[in-house]
Amino acid sequence: MSNPPNTAMRTFARLRTALAATLFVSASVHAGAAGAPASGISLLHASPAGYPVDDTTTPAGDYLAVTCDRGACALVPTQVTIANQDVQTHEGTESLPVMHADLKAHALFLVQGVPGLAAGPVKTWYVNERFLASDDPSSMAPVRRRFDRAVSIDDGAAVSFDGHWLEGQDPSCSGPGCGTRQLAWKVRFGQTERTLAALWPDGIVGEDGMLGVDDVLVWVGDLDGDGKPDFVIRPQARPDYLELSLFLSTRLQVGKPWRAAARFYHWDPRNAGC
């Protein structure tokens, strides 16, 4: 965009970056959360109100939206635009870049840059219907918490997605309110087992407020066309923001961490944070 960011925009960007670093620093040592997403692939979520974004890292243009009906999903072309508009923040009204998609229906997520991806039906084994129906997934109240889900795929095989508590000490925190256990989300299918995210409780929610599998697992299907499961998850400890990560099976390598191919992050600018 041609307009240089104003001071308010820089303040918001710094806040968002700091919050992201604070909330997810522990995940950097695990498979799905380590390193930068693969270049050329973008992942977004769309809402009727739009999302304030950092327009230097969020590309506008042509996307494919994953829309679903009764468990069957399709890739629908959509156009994403980014333009400045007045946004209510915790500091007042500010002019911020806002991302909009010209969708007529809810979508689980939008994706761009996956090789070979085209409009039409997309193989789907699991859809989080709550997430699909929500205008604002970051405002969803957590459901009754459970930490395991099995998803049947082709030929009688299955995928398991499980949360496990691991003993440890949050390296980014000191004091009596710090977590001594972290929640690791693991996926297993065939001979493959990987940790996609590992999250520390914080002083806001603690262990009892950590999200369960029905808030974290968003979609299981085959985006990259190799017949193996790909995943979209919410690697979050708490429900008051929105992060999505896309894991593609074509980027899974033997003996190496499974790194996210793309991520999306949104923190409501009306919320000053912790």
Side-chain angles (χ1 to χ4, degrees):
M1 296 180 63
S2 57
N3 294 333
N6 56 24
T7 302
M9 183 64 226
R10 290 194 296 269
T11 301
F12 169 62
R14 285 196 300 268
L15 171 63
R16 186 175 61 183
T17 300
L19 286 166
T22 300
L23 291 166
F24 300 109
V25 65
S26 63
S28 64
V29 298
H30 287 276
S39 61
I41 299 177
S42 297
L43 178 70
L44 299 178
H45 186 263
S47 76
Y51 284 114
V53 295
D54 180 352
D55 61 321
T56 63
T57 58
T58 303
D62 296 326
Y63 281 77
L64 290 170
V66 174
T67 63
C68 306
D69 182 25
R70 300 178 184 176
C73 298
L75 292 159
V76 177
T78 185
Q79 185 74 20
V80 170
T81 58
I82 300 174
N84 271 49
Q85 71 180 58
D86 288 344
V87 175
Q88 192 65 34
T89 76
H90 68 281
E91 295 181 340
T93 302
E94 304 177 20
S95 179
L96 303 177
V98 176
M99 180 272 290
H100 285 280
D102 60 353
L103 288 169
K104 304 303 181 184
H106 288 302
L108 278 175
F109 57 92
L110 282 60
V111 66
Q112 178 191 78
V114 176
L117 200 61
V122 59
K123 184 68 176 180
T124 298
W125 292 293
Y126 171 79
V127 177
N128 188 325
E129 296 289 349
R130 293 176 66 248
F131 190 90
L132 178 65
S134 177
D135 286 342
D136 180 13
S138 63
S139 69
M140 292 193 311
V143 298
R144 183 176 62 85
R145 191 174 62 166
R146 54 179 290 184
F147 287 137
D148 62 277
R149 177 171 288 281
V151 176
S152 296
I153 55 176
D154 297 338
D155 300 323
V159 167
S160 66
F161 188 77
D162 307 288
H164 298 270
W165 288 105
L166 303 177
E167 298 297 327
Q169 178 66 47
D170 186 350
S172 66
C173 182
S174 60
C178 293
T180 58
R181 298 199 304 172
Q182 61 180 172
L183 184 60
W185 288 104
K186 292 179 178 289
V187 65
R188 299 179 183 86
F189 55 96
Q191 300 301 311
T192 298
E193 178 178 318
R194 293 291 189 278
T195 298
L196 300 189
L199 308 170
W200 291 99
D202 63 17
I204 302 296
V205 298
E207 288 186 8
D208 292 338
M210 297 284 280
L211 297 185
V213 67
D214 292 321
D215 297 294
V216 173
L217 185 59
V218 174
W219 183 81
V220 182
D222 184 15
L223 273 183
D224 51 24
D226 66 350
K228 300 176 182 178
D230 307 315
F231 299 85
V232 174
I233 69 169
R234 298 175 68 189
Q236 300 175 208
R238 47 194 260 201
D240 56 349
Y241 55 95
L242 178 60
E243 167 142 336
L244 298 176
S245 291
L246 167 64
F247 294 88
L248 296 174
S249 56
T250 48
R251 297 186 179 273
L252 178 61
Q253 300 180 48
V254 175
K256 293 186 178 181
W258 196 2
R259 302 181 187 277
R263 298 191 185 103
F264 172 77
Y265 178 79
H266 171 70
W267 183 275
D268 189 337
R270 294 169 298 181
N271 188 340
C274 301

